[in-house]
Amino acid sequence: GQQLNQSPQSMFIQEGEDVSMNCTSSSIFNTWLWYKQDPGEGPVLLIALYKAGELTSNGRLTAQFGITRKDSFLNISASIPSDVGIYFCAGLENSGYALNFGKGTSLLVTP
Amino acid sequence: NAGVTQTPKFRILKIGQSMTLQCTQDMNHNYMYWYRQDPGMGLKLIYYSVGAGITDKGEVPNGYNVSRSTTEDFPLRLELAAPSQTSVYFCASGRLAGETGELFFGEGSRLTVL
């Protein structure tokens, strides 16, 4: 499976700040997804994107499916301490059976 | 609300021992997966299955085996455990290929090989 390039690797921010992270691939994907993993838990889906150019929000989270279909970004506005965790991007290629995951962005939020 | 259930949650093995990580899902998903997660390395696919009786290798299959005799169960077998297999293992299920790309993950099984 192809490894996606996710950045940044880690972020250490203050409560109330906005956060942005992105993911790129050398392959075209039909689906981009963003997952969050809390400590000691499995990843949980935050946002799913199915069309190039699509911009989707889920509360304070906003994600976009890049027009080239090779990238995606996730923004978190007005961060709070419970946003702490590891955020993963994942992509699904055409005719693919399994998701390709990025290495994750570790987010720490101080009160 | 069971979703994906993995057992055991923690296990310590000696080098050369064998064990099976159990995974079961109650959502009638065709697709099931085993990933391993190492610090800073993301999730790497070990094996996957697109339905009962069908399995295929992922990115890092060496040292592992799987079977899928039912839709619900997808056990992962470690033969001759090695320190390199120390990791957190996640089982996941979902509907892919033309439907939603969402995967549902279990809580993970933390394995240490000494």
Side-chain angles (χ1 to χ4, degrees):
Chain A
Q2 178 180 165
Q3 190 82 49
L4 304 181
N5 297 313
Q6 184 173 350
S7 63
Q9 214 172 20
S10 61
M11 301 184 76
F12 187 70
I13 63 171
Q14 281 196 318
E15 183 176 2
E17 289 184 12
D18 296 343
V19 172
S20 185
M21 58 192 79
N22 68 77
C23 213
T24 61
S25 166
S26 57
S27 295
I28 290 174
F29 287 129
N30 285 345
T31 302
W32 280 97
L33 305 115
W34 286 91
Y35 284 82
K36 183 193 177 197
Q37 184 180 27
D38 290 325
E41 306 275 337
V44 174
L45 182 69
L46 297 173
I47 292 181
L49 302 156
Y50 301 109
K51 292 181 183 177
E54 180 181 355
L55 185 72
T56 298
S57 293
N58 178 8
R60 294 178 295 105
L61 278 61
T62 301
Q64 184 156 32
F65 191 140
I67 293 176
T68 65
R69 297 167 66 189
K70 293 183 177 182
D71 63 326
S72 178
F73 72 75
L74 175 70
N75 286 342
I76 305 172
S77 62
S79 59
I80 58 179
S82 62
D83 290 334
V84 165
I86 303 176
Y87 292 78
F88 290 102
C89 63
L92 181 65
E93 296 176 275
N94 189 28
S95 305
Y97 291 113
L99 294 179
N100 299 284
F101 281 86
K103 291 187 178 181
T105 295
S106 179
L107 178 64
L108 292 175
V109 180
T110 58
Chain B
N1 287 351
V4 178
T5 303
Q6 289 182 234
T7 56
K9 286 188 167 42
F10 302 93
R11 183 73 186 268
I12 297 175
L13 283 181
K14 293 183 180 177
I15 294 173
Q17 285 186 320
S18 300
M19 76 159 297
T20 299
L21 299 177
Q22 302 292 344
C23 176
T24 187
Q25 53 95 4
D26 62 359
M27 296 171 282
N28 201 31
H29 287 157
N30 285 334
Y31 297 85
M32 294 190 74
Y33 305 83
W34 275 104
Y35 288 90
R36 60 175 288 172
Q37 182 179 28
D38 300 305
M41 297 303 292
L43 295 158
K44 293 193 174 180
L45 183 65
I46 305 171
Y47 269 95
Y48 68 97
S49 169
V50 300
I54 306 169
T55 63
D56 210 344
K57 296 178 181 178
E59 186 183 356
V60 290
N62 291 343
Y64 307 95
N65 271 305
V66 294
S67 60
R68 184 92 183 271
S69 56
T70 67
T71 299
E72 294 77 22
D73 300 307
F74 191 41
L76 177 72
R77 178 122 181 114
L78 280 72
E79 306 281 2
L80 299 175
S84 61
Q85 292 178 304
T86 294
S87 188
V88 182
Y89 292 83
F90 287 99
C91 179
S93 74
R95 297 188 182 97
L96 285 178
E99 300 187 51
T100 174
E102 178 175 8
L103 292 187
F104 295 83
F105 285 83
E107 292 186 339
S109 298
R110 184 175 296 276
L111 176 67
T112 302
V113 182
L114 301 174

